[in-house]
Every structure is written in structure tokens, then in C-alpha cells.
Amino acid sequence: RQEDIPRGGVLASPGSMQPGMMMDVALRVLKDAARTLENGSRLHFHHGSGETLCKLVLLGGKERLLPGEEGFGQLRFEEEVAAKAGDAFVLRFYSPLETVGGGTVLDPTPYKHRPSSVKALEKLKLLHGGDLSQKVEALLLGHGTHFVPARSLALQLAVDEAAVNECLQALDGQGRVMSLRQGLYLHQNSLEALGQKAQTILADFHQK
């Protein structure tokens, strides 16, 4: 029933979206904005007909974005938000209430980033301007030593799972990812990190 759908609610096929408390985004500040967008700002996030409060964490060591500038950041919400990669949004200041800019969702379910994280910034640059294969690889690297199914990557990127599987098979053939029988994938760099960690644990064990 229509009355069962709250304002800002998102209708989607079962399993096609995953709400989250954080979001990686590309940001644009209006050229005629009266104020700068600063790291740690509390903002109103407008997406579709929905609105929720969030805190902005600017990435790449930036402390602020001036009028007309672009950058990357992570939005941390006070309640779960459902969005897809590629969705547009508007940001308004918390007080006084005024529009400052907006942007595009890059990753709707990221891990928490440190503001100075170089890896996070590189990941977002690829998600913003790379081709599908680069985006798949960037997400795998972002998952670190966690094995990830192709379906999860497809959900993060809001693309067809078959296209993601094709990219993964190509990356597997190039030796850039490792696959398991269960359809799980790990980036080769993370596999090497796991090997080094295992060696350290074993060396410590034998020394003790």
C-alpha cells in the first residue's frame, strides 16, 4: 500500500540493494556557494525524496573545498541510507539551512577510511573515472584480505553480475586476482599480504 512507503523510501527488487551507514562520494561545491565545505561538516543529505543528517570526511588530506572545487569524501550517516553507485545527491548545510553543492555516489557500502588514506583516495579516483575492469579491481583492493563474491561487487557497482564475472575472469587470467571454487575472489596484492602475515605468525610461534 502507498501509505506503507515512507518518504525517501527506495523500492527495489529483493537483494538488489544494501543499505549502509557510510558512503564514498565524489563532491562538487557550487561556484556561487557562500561558504566552504569543510572536513567534519554536519550536513543534510538529499537523495531522491529522502533527507538525512551526515558528517563529511574529506579524503586526500584536504581540510576544505572552496566554491567551484571538486574532491572526494566519505559521508557518515545517522541512519541507514539505500543508494546505488552513480546516484546523484544534494548537500545542504545543517545550520543555517543552505545548499552548498552535491555529487555522485561511488561506493554505497564502503569501509571506514582515514582522511589521510592514500589507498582510499586512489580507489575513489578509479571508481570515478576508470572503466569497469579498473573499478572491479579497485573494489577488490578495498576489501583487503576479505574474499568477496562477484555478486557483492556487482551490487556495489550497480552493474550486471555477468559483466563483473567477465572482468574477474579476465583479471584472473592476468594473474591479478585469485579465485576460489565457491566463486570468491581476492586481489593478488592481498594474497601476498596474507602470505607475509602467515610467515610472521609462524616465525613468532616457533620463536616462542
Side-chain angles (χ1 to χ4, degrees):
R1 297 179 303 173
Q2 182 177 347
E3 55 267 27
D4 293 330
I5 305 171
R7 178 177 176 178
V10 178
L11 296 179
S13 301
S16 65
M17 296 185 74
Q18 183 178 349
M21 297 293 291
M22 294 184 289
M23 192 179 292
D24 286 345
V25 298
L27 298 162
R28 298 184 298 276
V29 181
L30 294 174
K31 291 181 180 179
D32 57 354
R35 299 161 61 186
T36 61
L37 195 56
E38 298 192 3
N39 188 36
S41 296
R42 280 174 56 81
L43 302 161
H44 284 270
F45 173 83
H46 295 264
H47 171 258
S49 62
E51 174 188 350
T52 188
L53 293 174
C54 67
K55 176 184 176 182
L56 169 65
V57 176
L58 289 174
L59 301 177
K62 282 185 172 290
E63 287 300 320
R64 63 186 56 83
L65 290 178
L66 303 176
E69 286 190 333
E70 300 182 358
F72 298 99
Q74 184 168 81
L75 301 178
R76 298 175 183 172
F77 301 102
E78 295 190 356
E79 59 188 58
E80 284 193 332
V81 174
K84 288 190 174 184
D87 282 359
F89 61 87
V90 171
L91 292 175
R92 304 184 76 189
F93 279 116
Y94 180 69
S95 178
L97 199 61
E98 58 182 292
T99 302
V100 61
T104 306
V105 177
L106 300 179
D107 185 352
T109 54
Y111 296 99
K112 183 178 286 188
H113 304 311
R114 295 191 310 275
S116 60
S117 173
V118 174
K119 289 184 178 180
L121 185 61
E122 291 175 349
K123 169 199 158 187
L124 267 60
K125 286 180 178 179
L126 286 174
L127 291 179
H128 187 52
D131 58 27
L132 182 56
S133 182
Q134 290 174 314
K135 291 179 180 180
V136 168
E137 192 170 359
L139 283 185
L140 271 180
L141 280 168
H143 281 286
T145 54
H146 299 277
F147 283 86
V148 186
R151 182 175 178 278
S152 294
L153 298 173
L155 280 176
Q156 278 186 279
L157 293 169
V159 298
D160 185 69
E161 187 175 345
V164 171
N165 271 314
E166 186 176 337
C167 287
L168 286 167
Q169 290 169 13
L171 290 169
D172 191 5
Q174 298 166 14
R176 300 188 65 80
V177 306
M178 187 188 99
S179 62
L180 297 178
R181 291 184 194 175
Q182 298 92 334
L184 300 174
Y185 292 85
L186 183 74
H187 197 276
Q188 183 63 33
N189 290 3
S190 300
L191 179 63
E192 293 172 0
L194 274 179
Q196 292 172 0
K197 183 177 180 180
Q199 289 180 14
T200 301
I201 291 172
L202 284 171
D204 185 57
F205 171 78
H206 288 299
Q207 186 176 14
K208 288 180 179 179

